[in-house]
Amino acid sequence: MSTSGGPGAAVRWRSAMEAALYGPGGFYVRPTGPGPAGHFRTSVHASALYAAAVARLLRWVDAELGHPPRFDLVDMGAGRAELLSGVLAALDPQTAARVRPYAVERAPRPEGLDPRIHWTGEPPEGVTGLLFANEWLDNVPLDIAEDGHYVLVAPDGTESRGGPLEDADRAWLERWWPGGGRAEIGRPRDEAWAAATRTLERGLAVAVDYAHTRRARPPFGTLTGFRGGREVAPVPDGGCDITAHVALDACAGPGAVLLTQAEALSALGVSGARPPLALASSDPAAYVRALASAGEAAELTSPAGLGAFGWLVQPVAVRAWPWDGPGGS
């Protein structure tokens, strides 16, 4: 365990993360500064192609639901609503006029945000449409276990041994993270995802995140921090993001589909294929634009990077997404 600095007041990691990320002056709730985008790069920030792909998925869900008069788009952990803004910009005016966008976020509403976007601390009830959670679950606070005990942490990052695991957490580990050693107890993520999907009456719920499955859990866990675009030690003092990969298979409900981002975005028409060289002669400007788009698509779908992210797709009162469908819509 970490031995940096003095011990301070040690608490379980779940409590420390909650305070550091969402408490007064916490990393995600500060009203000033660059926001999370100033500290790490997500698919939303990497390319507008990502929002355009989500817009295509939204149109597919809309068609599956029979084009209802009101269509909900809920963004869990919306940050500064970059994804919602991008999706609205990518939609045709007729569809955009029916979309009711919700940004679910614990931070204050940013100034100058599109007035169409509803800002709320909790997802609305009775959602008909698409609920999307891009890198939300990895910031749902959780506890860390080691050899049958909780790991405690002080504000300076110093860790120490806590009490024995409660029955519910021990049972979760036995089912989803067997083998002992150091592990991240994903039960709060399961509960958070289940609560979010319960708000959906008809449509799709999609969670996208750093992920792993039961057959390949990391032996030493994944807890880490990010500050200023660099990975740092996870010190729960409010000065950095604290994140851990998500056991998406544990979150999945009945009928859910698990796949990689590369697979999902390919089905949604995002391709990193280079444009034909002949285009460089016939339309040089179009070739340059297509080449730049291909480069952005390659970043989003790279198996060594963003393309390895997990997608959990949960259908509610609709058929499961046929993967050859949305990309052609």
mmCIF file of all heavy atoms in Angstrom, residues 25-63:
data_model
loop_
_atom_site.group_PDB
_atom_site.id
_atom_site.type_symbol
_atom_site.label_atom_id
_atom_site.label_comp_id
_atom_site.label_asym_id
_atom_site.label_seq_id
_atom_site.Cartn_x
_atom_site.Cartn_y
_atom_site.Cartn_z
ATOM 1 N N GLY A 25 -16.227 22.162 -3.146
ATOM 2 C CA GLY A 25 -14.955 22.403 -3.808
ATOM 3 C C GLY A 25 -14.391 21.193 -4.508
ATOM 4 O O GLY A 25 -13.231 21.204 -4.934
ATOM 5 N N GLY A 26 -15.198 20.134 -4.654
ATOM 6 C CA GLY A 26 -14.724 18.903 -5.278
ATOM 7 C C GLY A 26 -14.409 19.061 -6.750
ATOM 8 O O GLY A 26 -14.822 20.020 -7.414
ATOM 9 N N PHE A 27 -13.677 18.096 -7.270
ATOM 10 C CA PHE A 27 -13.153 18.169 -8.633
ATOM 11 C C PHE A 27 -14.241 18.407 -9.668
ATOM 12 O O PHE A 27 -14.042 19.172 -10.610
ATOM 13 C CB PHE A 27 -12.404 16.865 -8.939
ATOM 14 C CG PHE A 27 -11.770 16.830 -10.297
ATOM 15 C CD1 PHE A 27 -10.545 17.447 -10.528
ATOM 16 C CD2 PHE A 27 -12.386 16.171 -11.349
ATOM 17 C CE1 PHE A 27 -9.954 17.413 -11.784
ATOM 18 C CE2 PHE A 27 -11.799 16.126 -12.607
ATOM 19 C CZ PHE A 27 -10.580 16.758 -12.819
ATOM 20 N N TYR A 28 -15.385 17.772 -9.520
ATOM 21 C CA TYR A 28 -16.436 17.864 -10.543
ATOM 22 C C TYR A 28 -17.469 18.949 -10.292
ATOM 23 O O TYR A 28 -18.326 19.170 -11.155
ATOM 24 C CB TYR A 28 -17.148 16.515 -10.686
ATOM 25 C CG TYR A 28 -16.400 15.556 -11.563
ATOM 26 C CD1 TYR A 28 -15.687 14.496 -11.013
ATOM 27 C CD2 TYR A 28 -16.373 15.706 -12.949
ATOM 28 C CE1 TYR A 28 -14.980 13.619 -11.813
ATOM 29 C CE2 TYR A 28 -15.668 14.835 -13.750
ATOM 30 C CZ TYR A 28 -14.976 13.794 -13.177
ATOM 31 O OH TYR A 28 -14.277 12.930 -13.973
ATOM 32 N N VAL A 29 -17.431 19.610 -9.172
ATOM 33 C CA VAL A 29 -18.483 20.582 -8.864
ATOM 34 C C VAL A 29 -17.973 22.009 -8.746
ATOM 35 O O VAL A 29 -18.749 22.916 -8.436
ATOM 36 C CB VAL A 29 -19.234 20.189 -7.574
ATOM 37 C CG1 VAL A 29 -19.927 18.848 -7.762
ATOM 38 C CG2 VAL A 29 -18.305 20.131 -6.375
ATOM 39 N N ARG A 30 -16.708 22.250 -9.006
ATOM 40 C CA ARG A 30 -16.212 23.621 -8.970
ATOM 41 C C ARG A 30 -16.872 24.447 -10.068
ATOM 42 O O ARG A 30 -16.908 24.041 -11.236
ATOM 43 C CB ARG A 30 -14.700 23.657 -9.200
ATOM 44 C CG ARG A 30 -13.889 23.006 -8.110
ATOM 45 C CD ARG A 30 -12.406 23.333 -8.264
ATOM 46 N NE ARG A 30 -11.595 22.437 -7.484
ATOM 47 C CZ ARG A 30 -10.899 21.421 -7.982
ATOM 48 N NH1 ARG A 30 -10.908 21.203 -9.281
ATOM 49 N NH2 ARG A 30 -10.190 20.645 -7.198
ATOM 50 N N PRO A 31 -17.393 25.627 -9.745
ATOM 51 C CA PRO A 31 -18.061 26.439 -10.771
ATOM 52 C C PRO A 31 -17.111 27.146 -11.721
ATOM 53 O O PRO A 31 -17.529 27.638 -12.777
ATOM 54 C CB PRO A 31 -18.852 27.450 -9.943
ATOM 55 C CG PRO A 31 -18.072 27.585 -8.665
ATOM 56 C CD PRO A 31 -17.491 26.223 -8.403
ATOM 57 N N THR A 32 -15.826 27.234 -11.373
ATOM 58 C CA THR A 32 -14.855 27.928 -12.209
ATOM 59 C C THR A 32 -13.781 26.961 -12.690
ATOM 60 O O THR A 32 -13.701 25.824 -12.246
ATOM 61 C CB THR A 32 -14.188 29.079 -11.423
ATOM 62 O OG1 THR A 32 -13.540 28.539 -10.263
ATOM 63 C CG2 THR A 32 -15.239 30.098 -10.989
ATOM 64 N N GLY A 33 -12.930 27.452 -13.590
ATOM 65 C CA GLY A 33 -11.851 26.630 -14.124
ATOM 66 C C GLY A 33 -12.250 25.950 -15.414
ATOM 67 O O GLY A 33 -13.377 26.096 -15.908
ATOM 68 N N PRO A 34 -11.336 25.163 -15.994
ATOM 69 C CA PRO A 34 -11.577 24.560 -17.305
ATOM 70 C C PRO A 34 -12.550 23.395 -17.290
ATOM 71 O O PRO A 34 -12.988 22.939 -18.340
ATOM 72 C CB PRO A 34 -10.183 24.086 -17.724
ATOM 73 C CG PRO A 34 -9.491 23.788 -16.422
ATOM 74 C CD PRO A 34 -10.004 24.824 -15.461
ATOM 75 N N GLY A 35 -12.879 22.887 -16.102
ATOM 76 C CA GLY A 35 -13.738 21.709 -16.049
ATOM 77 C C GLY A 35 -12.949 20.452 -16.348
ATOM 78 O O GLY A 35 -11.745 20.487 -16.612
ATOM 79 N N PRO A 36 -13.613 19.303 -16.307
ATOM 80 C CA PRO A 36 -12.919 18.035 -16.534
ATOM 81 C C PRO A 36 -12.155 17.982 -17.853
ATOM 82 O O PRO A 36 -11.109 17.336 -17.932
ATOM 83 C CB PRO A 36 -14.070 17.016 -16.508
ATOM 84 C CG PRO A 36 -15.111 17.648 -15.644
ATOM 85 C CD PRO A 36 -15.022 19.112 -15.932
ATOM 86 N N ALA A 37 -12.663 18.643 -18.899
ATOM 87 C CA ALA A 37 -11.991 18.596 -20.199
ATOM 88 C C ALA A 37 -10.580 19.169 -20.141
ATOM 89 O O ALA A 37 -9.752 18.879 -21.004
ATOM 90 C CB ALA A 37 -12.809 19.350 -21.241
ATOM 91 N N GLY A 38 -10.305 19.985 -19.134
ATOM 92 C CA GLY A 38 -8.964 20.520 -18.992
ATOM 93 C C GLY A 38 -7.983 19.543 -18.374
ATOM 94 O O GLY A 38 -6.787 19.831 -18.301
ATOM 95 N N HIS A 39 -8.483 18.388 -17.936
ATOM 96 C CA HIS A 39 -7.631 17.431 -17.245
ATOM 97 C C HIS A 39 -7.499 16.097 -17.968
ATOM 98 O O HIS A 39 -6.542 15.369 -17.754
ATOM 99 C CB HIS A 39 -8.155 17.199 -15.823
ATOM 100 C CG HIS A 39 -8.110 18.424 -14.965
ATOM 101 N ND1 HIS A 39 -6.996 18.790 -14.235
ATOM 102 C CD2 HIS A 39 -9.037 19.395 -14.758
ATOM 103 C CE1 HIS A 39 -7.242 19.925 -13.580
ATOM 104 N NE2 HIS A 39 -8.473 20.310 -13.878
ATOM 105 N N PHE A 40 -8.479 15.735 -18.783
ATOM 106 C CA PHE A 40 -8.384 14.473 -19.515
ATOM 107 C C PHE A 40 -9.210 14.577 -20.791
ATOM 108 O O PHE A 40 -10.081 15.424 -20.922
ATOM 109 C CB PHE A 40 -8.845 13.282 -18.661
ATOM 110 C CG PHE A 40 -10.191 13.477 -18.012
ATOM 111 C CD1 PHE A 40 -11.358 13.226 -18.703
ATOM 112 C CD2 PHE A 40 -10.276 13.903 -16.696
ATOM 113 C CE1 PHE A 40 -12.599 13.397 -18.112
ATOM 114 C CE2 PHE A 40 -11.514 14.080 -16.089
ATOM 115 C CZ PHE A 40 -12.672 13.826 -16.804
ATOM 116 N N ARG A 41 -8.913 13.686 -21.723
ATOM 117 C CA ARG A 41 -9.514 13.719 -23.058
ATOM 118 C C ARG A 41 -10.434 12.512 -23.216
ATOM 119 O O ARG A 41 -10.033 11.370 -23.000
ATOM 120 C CB ARG A 41 -8.384 13.673 -24.096
ATOM 121 C CG ARG A 41 -8.792 13.653 -25.560
ATOM 122 C CD ARG A 41 -7.503 13.619 -26.379
ATOM 123 N NE ARG A 41 -7.703 13.432 -27.796
ATOM 124 C CZ ARG A 41 -7.925 14.400 -28.677
ATOM 125 N NH1 ARG A 41 -7.997 15.643 -28.239
ATOM 126 N NH2 ARG A 41 -8.072 14.153 -29.960
ATOM 127 N N THR A 42 -11.694 12.767 -23.557
ATOM 128 C CA THR A 42 -12.648 11.694 -23.802
ATOM 129 C C THR A 42 -12.947 11.627 -25.292
ATOM 130 O O THR A 42 -12.514 12.473 -26.077
ATOM 131 C CB THR A 42 -13.951 11.931 -23.032
ATOM 132 O OG1 THR A 42 -14.677 13.003 -23.647
ATOM 133 C CG2 THR A 42 -13.683 12.270 -21.572
ATOM 134 N N SER A 43 -13.730 10.640 -25.685
ATOM 135 C CA SER A 43 -14.122 10.513 -27.089
ATOM 136 C C SER A 43 -14.887 11.744 -27.560
ATOM 137 O O SER A 43 -14.775 12.157 -28.716
ATOM 138 C CB SER A 43 -14.991 9.262 -27.276
ATOM 139 O OG SER A 43 -14.277 8.093 -26.982
ATOM 140 N N VAL A 44 -15.664 12.339 -26.657
ATOM 141 C CA VAL A 44 -16.434 13.533 -27.010
ATOM 142 C C VAL A 44 -15.505 14.663 -27.426
ATOM 143 O O VAL A 44 -15.775 15.397 -28.384
ATOM 144 C CB VAL A 44 -17.312 13.977 -25.821
ATOM 145 C CG1 VAL A 44 -18.067 15.259 -26.159
ATOM 146 C CG2 VAL A 44 -18.282 12.871 -25.432
ATOM 147 N N HIS A 45 -14.396 14.806 -26.711
ATOM 148 C CA HIS A 45 -13.450 15.880 -27.009
ATOM 149 C C HIS A 45 -12.528 15.537 -28.174
ATOM 150 O O HIS A 45 -11.961 16.427 -28.799
ATOM 151 C CB HIS A 45 -12.605 16.188 -25.769
ATOM 152 C CG HIS A 45 -13.420 16.446 -24.540
ATOM 153 N ND1 HIS A 45 -13.309 15.665 -23.401
ATOM 154 C CD2 HIS A 45 -14.392 17.351 -24.272
ATOM 155 C CE1 HIS A 45 -14.153 16.117 -22.485
ATOM 156 N NE2 HIS A 45 -14.823 17.123 -22.991
ATOM 157 N N ALA A 46 -12.383 14.252 -28.468
ATOM 158 C CA ALA A 46 -11.449 13.836 -29.516
ATOM 159 C C ALA A 46 -11.940 14.206 -30.903
ATOM 160 O O ALA A 46 -11.140 14.559 -31.770
ATOM 161 C CB ALA A 46 -11.206 12.329 -29.435
ATOM 162 N N SER A 47 -13.243 14.122 -31.135
ATOM 163 C CA SER A 47 -13.749 14.375 -32.484
ATOM 164 C C SER A 47 -15.255 14.575 -32.472
ATOM 165 O O SER A 47 -15.977 13.901 -31.711
ATOM 166 C CB SER A 47 -13.403 13.202 -33.407
ATOM 167 O OG SER A 47 -14.031 13.357 -34.676
ATOM 168 N N ALA A 48 -15.720 15.461 -33.356
ATOM 169 C CA ALA A 48 -17.160 15.639 -33.553
ATOM 170 C C ALA A 48 -17.800 14.398 -34.159
ATOM 171 O O ALA A 48 -19.030 14.253 -34.148
ATOM 172 C CB ALA A 48 -17.423 16.852 -34.441
ATOM 173 N N LEU A 49 -16.983 13.486 -34.699
ATOM 174 C CA LEU A 49 -17.522 12.239 -35.250
ATOM 175 C C LEU A 49 -18.245 11.429 -34.172
ATOM 176 O O LEU A 49 -19.176 10.682 -34.481
ATOM 177 C CB LEU A 49 -16.394 11.392 -35.854
ATOM 178 C CG LEU A 49 -15.681 11.957 -37.083
ATOM 179 C CD1 LEU A 49 -14.502 11.064 -37.459
ATOM 180 C CD2 LEU A 49 -16.649 12.088 -38.251
ATOM 181 N N TYR A 50 -17.821 11.574 -32.928
ATOM 182 C CA TYR A 50 -18.436 10.806 -31.850
ATOM 183 C C TYR A 50 -19.873 11.268 -31.627
ATOM 184 O O TYR A 50 -20.799 10.451 -31.563
ATOM 185 C CB TYR A 50 -17.614 10.963 -30.577
ATOM 186 C CG TYR A 50 -18.009 10.026 -29.464
ATOM 187 C CD1 TYR A 50 -17.638 8.692 -29.492
ATOM 188 C CD2 TYR A 50 -18.750 10.480 -28.368
ATOM 189 C CE1 TYR A 50 -17.986 7.820 -28.479
ATOM 190 C CE2 TYR A 50 -19.100 9.609 -27.340
ATOM 191 C CZ TYR A 50 -18.717 8.289 -27.409
ATOM 192 O OH TYR A 50 -19.069 7.432 -26.397
ATOM 193 N N ALA A 51 -20.082 12.573 -31.512
ATOM 194 C CA ALA A 51 -21.437 13.093 -31.341
ATOM 195 C C ALA A 51 -22.299 12.763 -32.551
ATOM 196 O O ALA A 51 -23.489 12.459 -32.410
ATOM 197 C CB ALA A 51 -21.396 14.599 -31.106
ATOM 198 N N ALA A 52 -21.710 12.810 -33.740
ATOM 199 C CA ALA A 52 -22.471 12.466 -34.941
ATOM 200 C C ALA A 52 -22.904 11.004 -34.916
ATOM 201 O O ALA A 52 -24.016 10.665 -35.359
ATOM 202 C CB ALA A 52 -21.636 12.756 -36.184
ATOM 203 N N ALA A 53 -22.046 10.124 -34.393
ATOM 204 C CA ALA A 53 -22.411 8.705 -34.280
ATOM 205 C C ALA A 53 -23.545 8.521 -33.279
ATOM 206 O O ALA A 53 -24.475 7.743 -33.516
ATOM 207 C CB ALA A 53 -21.194 7.881 -33.870
ATOM 208 N N VAL A 54 -23.485 9.237 -32.160
ATOM 209 C CA VAL A 54 -24.566 9.157 -31.177
ATOM 210 C C VAL A 54 -25.860 9.696 -31.787
ATOM 211 O O VAL A 54 -26.945 9.170 -31.528
ATOM 212 C CB VAL A 54 -24.194 9.918 -29.891
ATOM 213 C CG1 VAL A 54 -25.366 9.936 -28.908
ATOM 214 C CG2 VAL A 54 -22.977 9.279 -29.230
ATOM 215 N N ALA A 55 -25.761 10.727 -32.619
ATOM 216 C CA ALA A 55 -26.941 11.254 -33.301
ATOM 217 C C ALA A 55 -27.551 10.203 -34.230
ATOM 218 O O ALA A 55 -28.781 10.080 -34.332
ATOM 219 C CB ALA A 55 -26.587 12.517 -34.083
ATOM 220 N N ARG A 56 -26.704 9.416 -34.898
ATOM 221 C CA ARG A 56 -27.235 8.349 -35.752
ATOM 222 C C ARG A 56 -27.923 7.272 -34.912
ATOM 223 O O ARG A 56 -28.966 6.734 -35.313
ATOM 224 C CB ARG A 56 -26.111 7.749 -36.605
ATOM 225 C CG ARG A 56 -25.677 8.645 -37.757
ATOM 226 C CD ARG A 56 -24.808 7.914 -38.759
ATOM 227 N NE ARG A 56 -23.486 7.632 -38.244
ATOM 228 C CZ ARG A 56 -22.470 8.495 -38.282
ATOM 229 N NH1 ARG A 56 -22.630 9.701 -38.808
ATOM 230 N NH2 ARG A 56 -21.280 8.167 -37.795
ATOM 231 N N LEU A 57 -27.341 6.956 -33.766
ATOM 232 C CA LEU A 57 -27.971 5.996 -32.873
ATOM 233 C C LEU A 57 -29.315 6.536 -32.388
ATOM 234 O O LEU A 57 -30.317 5.805 -32.331
ATOM 235 C CB LEU A 57 -27.052 5.708 -31.682
ATOM 236 C CG LEU A 57 -27.612 4.784 -30.596
ATOM 237 C CD1 LEU A 57 -28.009 3.433 -31.178
ATOM 238 C CD2 LEU A 57 -26.598 4.614 -29.474
ATOM 239 N N LEU A 58 -29.361 7.804 -32.044
ATOM 240 C CA LEU A 58 -30.598 8.418 -31.589
ATOM 241 C C LEU A 58 -31.681 8.339 -32.666
ATOM 242 O O LEU A 58 -32.847 8.032 -32.375
ATOM 243 C CB LEU A 58 -30.329 9.871 -31.189
ATOM 244 C CG LEU A 58 -31.496 10.681 -30.614
ATOM 245 C CD1 LEU A 58 -31.001 11.641 -29.553
ATOM 246 C CD2 LEU A 58 -32.223 11.458 -31.705
ATOM 247 N N ARG A 59 -31.302 8.593 -33.921
ATOM 248 C CA ARG A 59 -32.291 8.517 -34.998
ATOM 249 C C ARG A 59 -32.809 7.089 -35.167
ATOM 250 O O ARG A 59 -33.983 6.884 -35.482
ATOM 251 C CB ARG A 59 -31.683 9.039 -36.310
ATOM 252 C CG ARG A 59 -31.505 10.551 -36.334
ATOM 253 C CD ARG A 59 -31.260 11.062 -37.742
ATOM 254 N NE ARG A 59 -30.004 10.589 -38.285
ATOM 255 C CZ ARG A 59 -28.853 11.253 -38.178
ATOM 256 N NH1 ARG A 59 -28.809 12.401 -37.525
ATOM 257 N NH2 ARG A 59 -27.747 10.771 -38.707
ATOM 258 N N TRP A 60 -31.937 6.103 -34.964
ATOM 259 C CA TRP A 60 -32.372 4.715 -35.052
ATOM 260 C C TRP A 60 -33.383 4.395 -33.955
ATOM 261 O O TRP A 60 -34.424 3.778 -34.204
ATOM 262 C CB TRP A 60 -31.175 3.776 -34.956
ATOM 263 C CG TRP A 60 -31.545 2.335 -35.081
ATOM 264 C CD1 TRP A 60 -31.726 1.613 -36.221
ATOM 265 C CD2 TRP A 60 -31.822 1.433 -33.990
ATOM 266 N NE1 TRP A 60 -32.087 0.312 -35.917
ATOM 267 C CE2 TRP A 60 -32.151 0.185 -34.564
ATOM 268 C CE3 TRP A 60 -31.812 1.567 -32.608
ATOM 269 C CZ2 TRP A 60 -32.474 -0.930 -33.793
ATOM 270 C CZ3 TRP A 60 -32.136 0.450 -31.826
ATOM 271 C CH2 TRP A 60 -32.456 -0.771 -32.428
ATOM 272 N N VAL A 61 -33.083 4.826 -32.716
ATOM 273 C CA VAL A 61 -34.008 4.602 -31.612
ATOM 274 C C VAL A 61 -35.330 5.317 -31.885
ATOM 275 O O VAL A 61 -36.411 4.775 -31.631
ATOM 276 C CB VAL A 61 -33.393 5.073 -30.279
ATOM 277 C CG1 VAL A 61 -34.393 4.917 -29.131
ATOM 278 C CG2 VAL A 61 -32.119 4.309 -29.972
ATOM 279 N N ASP A 62 -35.256 6.521 -32.398
ATOM 280 C CA ASP A 62 -36.453 7.291 -32.733
ATOM 281 C C ASP A 62 -37.345 6.517 -33.701
ATOM 282 O O ASP A 62 -38.566 6.419 -33.517
ATOM 283 C CB ASP A 62 -36.027 8.628 -33.344
ATOM 284 C CG ASP A 62 -37.195 9.556 -33.619
ATOM 285 O OD1 ASP A 62 -38.204 9.496 -32.902
ATOM 286 O OD2 ASP A 62 -37.093 10.354 -34.581
ATOM 287 N N ALA A 63 -36.726 5.926 -34.714
ATOM 288 C CA ALA A 63 -37.491 5.143 -35.679
ATOM 289 C C ALA A 63 -38.092 3.903 -35.027
ATOM 290 O O ALA A 63 -39.238 3.528 -35.297
ATOM 291 C CB ALA A 63 -36.609 4.758 -36.861
#
